[in-house]
């Protein structure tokens, strides 16, 4: 029967696995896409931030170029040059020394260029718009971008005033502006415009019309604080796309990290959700723990023994009651593994605590499913090496809750006999609540009977089950079985039981089930309870 169960669950498991992989793949794709789309605002923010820094840097490069050029003109204005051949030579020397400067002109108080490094003496009018921007104050500077009358080429001028309205200018090819901006940009596909006094100079790799371009793009604008100079980045859709592609590795990286986390989490979830695996997982990962609940004789300070009760601390669902997971384990055919686990804990405990265990015993619950397994008793006896030093400290509790068929009953009795032969003592658990209790005790000499807590509850409530309880006690005595009362929660219950001669108690009144690590501490501090004087003890 168990074999069939296993096969079905394995088959189901495989089907689920393929489905799970497919949906995992789908989820991972969704994660990548989501990561990409969700990070789009981040990319646009980053693009804006990157370009803002680059724009400010580019503008300050042009500013310092202009500053340096103007500073180099300063010495020429010191000694009122008359445009002698010597003066022209001095102008030419300066042109030679200055980066990218093609010509230098000297300007008189009428705002006319009267001497240039190329032509010598001359007389050229400066545009009124330039004069308007260039006050006659020593040190004032301005810029202009003009088209020479004779050619198509534009000229970029830097102007500097000296004393008494005199001045000088330097002619520079305007592509120095685009060069200065372009050199510091990490991309070569970002169009930009440098505007000098309202006249635009486009980046040379772009022949788009400025006005047309501005319609399709977002424009980032930077203005120089000192000069009539502006820089505009024309952020075209094409540039944005290139930028996104360049930055896509961030999304891939993030997407991969998220997918890995997700895949790991869902792997764990699937593992948890597949029930057969859950138990193996719980067993392997020590989520299952055995708790010990003392069984005491309230007349003495010494506990008689402990019942071993399984606890499952599930990382997601918290503490799961054995009333839930034991039946589940039975259904899934995993109960033997659980019984082995508890039994091994018991054996280890007996071996490790010889002195403590001297006159005490440990109680282990045996599932009805195990008793129907023909090999169970042999397996358990072998697990204890048929060692009577171990088995005499062990009490096996068998519940009588469910009805057994005649053939099942034969198997159960055979198993119980075999267990008793190897030295185990056997208890009938939850006595009085099941169907086969009487039949069981008639056919097998149990050593101990454990009376279920429902009867103990009745003791103080003066319930109708008291006569039943008394007859069970009577029966147990007649059959020479020790009696343990379960679920003793109050001193009144304890006293009432003692008066009936039931001296072995288990219940929250004495101690709740506890983990092994706190057991020794509890033992050291345990004292028998103080009972009312009128309690008449029956021996
Ligand atoms: P059980 O064998 O009848 O165990 C006694 C149950 O009563 C325990 O519940 C215990 O915590 C609880 N109990 C003890 N004193 C009191 C009390 O004063 N008041 C009340 N209300 N309850 C008390 P637990 O630990 O939840 O176990 C429930 C059942 O799960 C057990 O009933 C047993 O049938 C099963 N179980 C526990 N561990 C194992 C195991 O290792 N193997 C098998 N096959 N079954 C187990
Ligand atoms: Ca029990
Ligand atoms: Ca019980």
């Amino acid at each position: 029967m168990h074999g069939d169960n296993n096969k079905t669950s394995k088959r189901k498991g495989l089907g689920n696995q393929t489905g799970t992989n497919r949906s995992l793949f789908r989820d991972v794709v969704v994660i990548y896409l989501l990561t990409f789309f969700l990070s789009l605002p981040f990319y646009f923010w980053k693009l804006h931030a990157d370009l803002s820094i680059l724009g400010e840097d580019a503008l300050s490069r042009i500013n310092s170029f202009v500053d340096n050029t103007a500073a180099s003109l300063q010495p020429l204005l010191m000694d009122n040059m008359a445009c002698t051949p010597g003066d022209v030579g001095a102008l030419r020397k300066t042109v030679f020394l200055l980066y990218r400067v093609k010509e230098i002109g000297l300007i008189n108080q009428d705002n006319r260029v009267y001497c240039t490094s190329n032509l010598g003496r001359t007389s050229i009018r400066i545009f009124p718009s330039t004069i308007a921007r260039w006050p006659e104050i020593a040190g004032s500077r301005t810029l202009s971008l003009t088209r020479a009358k004779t050619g198509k080429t534009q000229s970029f001028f830097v102007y500097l005033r000296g004393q008494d309205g005199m001045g000088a200018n330097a002619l520079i090819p305007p592509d120095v502006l685009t060069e200065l901006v372009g050199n510091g940009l990490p991309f070569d596909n970002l169009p930009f415009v440098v505007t000098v006094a309202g006249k635009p100079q486009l980046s040379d790799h772009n022949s788009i019309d400025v006005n047309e371009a501005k319609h399709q793009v977002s424009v980032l604008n930077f203005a120089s604080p000192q000069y009539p100079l502006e820089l505009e980045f024309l952020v075209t859709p094409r540039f944005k796309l290139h930028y996104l592609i360049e930055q896509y590795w961030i999304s891939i990286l993030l997407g991969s990290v998220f997918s890995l986390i997700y895949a790991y989490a869902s792997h764990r979830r699937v593992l948890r959700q597949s029930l057969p695996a859950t138990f193996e997982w719980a067993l392997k990962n020590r989520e299952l723990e055995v708790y010990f609940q003392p069984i005491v004789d309230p007349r003495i300070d010494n506990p008689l023994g402990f019942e071993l009760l399984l606890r499952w601390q599930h990382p997601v669902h918290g503490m799961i009651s054995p009333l839930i997971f034991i039946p589940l384990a039975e259904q899934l055919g995993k109960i033997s593994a659980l019984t082995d686990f508890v039994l091994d804990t018991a054996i280890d405990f007996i071996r490790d605590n010889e002195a403590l265990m001297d006159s005490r015993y440990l109680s282990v619950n045996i599932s009805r499913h195990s008793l129907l397994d023909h090999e169970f008793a042999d397996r358990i006896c072998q697990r204890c090496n048929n060692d009577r030093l171990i088995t005499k400290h062990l009490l096996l509790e068998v519940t009588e809750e469910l009805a057994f068929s005649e053939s099942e009953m034969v198997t159960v009795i055979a198993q119980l006999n075999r267990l008793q032969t190897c030295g185990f003592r056997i208890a009938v658990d939850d006595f009085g609540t099941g169907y086969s209790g009487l039949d069981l005790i008639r056919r097998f000499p149990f050593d101990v009977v454990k009376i279920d807590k429902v009867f103990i509850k009745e003791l103080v409530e003066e319930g109708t089950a008291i006569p039943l309880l008394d007859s069970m006690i009577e029966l147990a005595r007649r059959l020479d079985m020790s009696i343990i009362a379960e679920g003793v929660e109050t001193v009144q219950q304890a006293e009432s039981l003692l008066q009936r001669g039931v001296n072995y108690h288990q219940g929250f009144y004495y101690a709740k089930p506890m983990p092994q690590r706190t057991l020794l501490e509890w033992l050291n501090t345990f004292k028998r309870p103080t009972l009312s004087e009128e309690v008449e003890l029956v021996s």
Side-chain angles (χ1 to χ4, degrees):
M1 190 176 79
H2 291 168
D4 279 354
N5 267 353
N6 280 344
K7 266 184 225 154
T8 331
S9 50
K10 265 183 205 154
R11 234 181 285 127
K12 262 193 217 157
L14 276 179
N16 287 345
Q17 197 62 36
T18 328
T20 312
N21 284 345
R22 218 178 293 131
S23 70
L24 187 66
F25 176 74
R26 189 198 55 212
D27 291 351
V28 166
V29 170
V30 171
I31 287 176
Y32 271 106
L33 288 176
L34 266 180
T35 312
F36 176 68
F37 284 113
L38 291 178
S39 44
L40 276 182
F42 164 74
Y43 291 134
F44 289 125
W45 170 84
K46 186 172 181 297
L47 171 66
H48 190 273
D50 285 353
L51 290 183
S52 299
I53 294 172
L54 290 169
E56 294 297 344
D57 283 355
L59 203 63
S60 68
R61 276 198 299 280
I62 304 181
N63 274 336
S64 34
F65 171 76
V66 173
D67 286 348
N68 291 338
T69 310
S72 316
L73 295 176
Q74 187 70 41
L76 303 172
L77 291 169
M78 303 307 266
D79 34 59
N80 269 332
M81 288 189 187
C83 204
T84 61
D87 292 339
V88 175
L91 293 182
R92 286 189 182 157
K93 199 173 154 202
T94 311
V95 167
F96 181 73
L97 292 174
L98 285 180
Y99 173 67
R100 301 285 289 198
V101 171
K102 293 286 175 243
E103 191 179 336
I104 288 178
L106 296 174
I107 298 162
N108 62 22
Q109 282 145 336
D110 297 334
N111 282 320
R112 280 182 167 270
V113 180
Y114 67 92
C115 185
T116 72
S117 55
N118 285 358
L119 304 171
R121 184 161 290 282
T122 181
S123 181
I124 305 165
R125 234 180 93 241
I126 301 176
F127 284 113
S129 54
T130 309
I131 299 165
R133 294 195 298 275
W134 194 35
E136 289 186 9
I137 303 164
S140 87
R141 299 159 186 197
T142 194
L143 308 174
S144 75
L145 196 63
T146 56
R147 197 174 293 279
K149 277 186 188 133
T150 45
K152 281 186 179 169
T153 51
Q154 279 191 313
S155 307
F156 173 49
F157 285 100
V158 174
Y159 295 84
L160 176 74
R161 283 276 184 215
Q163 299 297 327
D164 310 321
M166 303 291 280
N169 67 3
L171 184 153
I172 301 146
D175 52 11
V176 80
L177 295 171
T178 47
E179 214 178 276
L180 281 167
V181 177
N183 282 351
L185 291 183
F187 346 90
D188 53 11
N189 50 1
L190 174 67
F192 58 85
V193 183
V194 182
T195 307
V196 178
K199 301 229 174 72
Q201 169 74 13
L202 264 174
S203 52
D204 50 1
H205 54 81
N206 250 287
S207 52
I208 44 170
D209 176 83
V210 183
N211 292 322
E212 187 193 319
K214 283 186 186 174
H215 284 298
Q216 334 163 352
V217 298
S218 34
V219 177
L220 245 99
N221 196 295
F222 310 89
S224 159
Q226 303 101 302
Y227 299 110
L229 193 72
E230 271 179 44
L231 168 65
E232 287 168 317
F233 284 149
L234 309 180
V235 192
T236 59
R238 198 160 142 210
F239 174 75
K240 278 184 194 161
L241 189 69
H242 272 118
Y243 183 82
L244 279 186
I245 293 170
E246 257 177 37
Q247 304 284 320
Y248 187 63
W249 64 269
I250 301 181
S251 285
I252 296 202
L253 191 75
L254 279 177
S256 307
V257 170
F258 291 149
S259 301
L260 271 178
I261 294 172
Y262 178 81
Y264 178 68
S266 65
H267 171 71
R268 276 179 70 113
R269 198 182 58 232
V270 168
L271 209 66
R272 294 301 167 87
Q273 280 168 356
S274 83
L275 287 174
T278 310
F279 278 101
E280 271 152 27
W281 174 274
L283 268 169
K284 236 193 276 161
N285 289 278
R286 306 232 154 260
E287 281 172 19
L288 287 171
E289 195 183 349
V290 177
Y291 273 42
F292 292 64
Q293 186 179 29
I295 291 129
V296 301
D297 180 339
R299 301 167 302 171
I300 53 172
D301 290 334
N302 236 347
L304 307 165
F306 308 95
E307 178 170 2
L308 273 55
L309 295 160
L310 266 172
R311 292 290 175 264
W312 185 3
Q313 184 60 49
H314 193 283
V316 178
H317 303 299
M319 188 68 92
I320 301 179
S321 163
L323 293 172
I324 293 171
F325 72 82
I326 298 285
L328 206 60
E330 286 172 345
Q331 263 174 27
L332 294 166
K334 298 281 171 192
I335 192 68
S336 333
L338 288 190
T339 309
D340 289 353
F341 173 66
V342 181
L343 204 66
D344 288 349
T345 309
I347 295 169
D348 289 348
F349 189 87
I350 295 167
R351 290 206 172 117
D352 296 347
N353 299 280
E354 244 177 78
L356 185 150
M357 287 307 297
D358 188 30
S359 58
R360 298 189 174 117
Y361 74 92
L362 296 182
S363 220
V364 173
N365 289 286
I366 302 299
S367 154
R368 158 198 156 89
H369 278 250
S370 305
L371 287 177
L372 293 172
D373 172 358
H374 292 273
E375 273 127 48
F376 175 75
D378 279 338
R379 209 163 49 77
I380 296 299
C381 295
Q382 269 166 24
R383 230 177 165 80
C384 300
N385 284 338
N386 287 305
D387 181 351
R388 278 184 178 271
L389 289 176
I390 296 284
T391 55
K392 74 168 187 191
H393 288 295
L394 283 168
L395 177 73
L396 304 181
E397 299 188 8
V398 177
T399 46
E400 51 109 350
E401 67 195 305
L402 291 171
F404 289 114
S405 69
E406 182 50 35
S407 68
E408 283 174 341
M409 192 61 109
V410 171
T411 314
V412 168
I413 302 294
Q415 294 295 306
L416 291 177
N417 275 319
R418 170 80 185 98
L419 289 167
Q420 214 168 36
T421 316
C422 42
F424 291 106
R425 282 181 302 151
I426 316 282
V428 58
D429 198 1
D430 303 337
F431 190 61
T433 58
Y435 300 101
S436 35
L438 282 178
D439 198 18
L440 260 180
I441 60 169
R442 192 173 56 81
R443 296 170 73 165
F444 182 79
F446 284 96
D447 303 282
V448 176
V449 60
K450 293 189 81 172
I451 297 176
D452 193 77
K453 42 186 169 282
V454 294
F455 299 101
I456 311 306
K457 227 184 193 139
E458 299 271 317
L459 277 176
V460 259
E461 289 163 12
E462 302 279 318
T464 49
I466 291 186
L468 205 59
L469 170 70
D470 287 334
S471 66
M472 283 193 295
I473 297 171
E474 177 62 28
L475 180 68
R477 257 195 217 120
R478 219 179 292 153
L479 293 173
D480 205 18
M481 299 191 284
S482 304
I483 307 170
I484 299 174
E486 287 188 316
V488 181
E489 292 182 353
T490 63
V491 66
Q492 292 87 343
Q493 288 169 339
E495 288 175 347
S496 173
L497 284 164
L498 287 169
Q499 280 171 333
R500 287 177 159 80
V502 178
N503 302 328
Y504 305 148
H505 301 179
Q506 178 181 354
F508 296 168
Y509 175 57
Y510 303 99
K512 287 197 168 174
M514 62 190 96
Q516 193 174 320
R517 57 185 174 278
T518 56
L519 187 66
L520 293 181
E521 200 184 313
W522 180 86
L523 264 175
N524 288 336
T525 52
F526 176 71
K527 285 265 167 298
R528 70 194 164 96
T530 338
L531 303 163
S532 331
E533 279 171 17
E534 62 267 24
V535 173
E536 219 178 277
L537 296 182
V538 182
S539 54

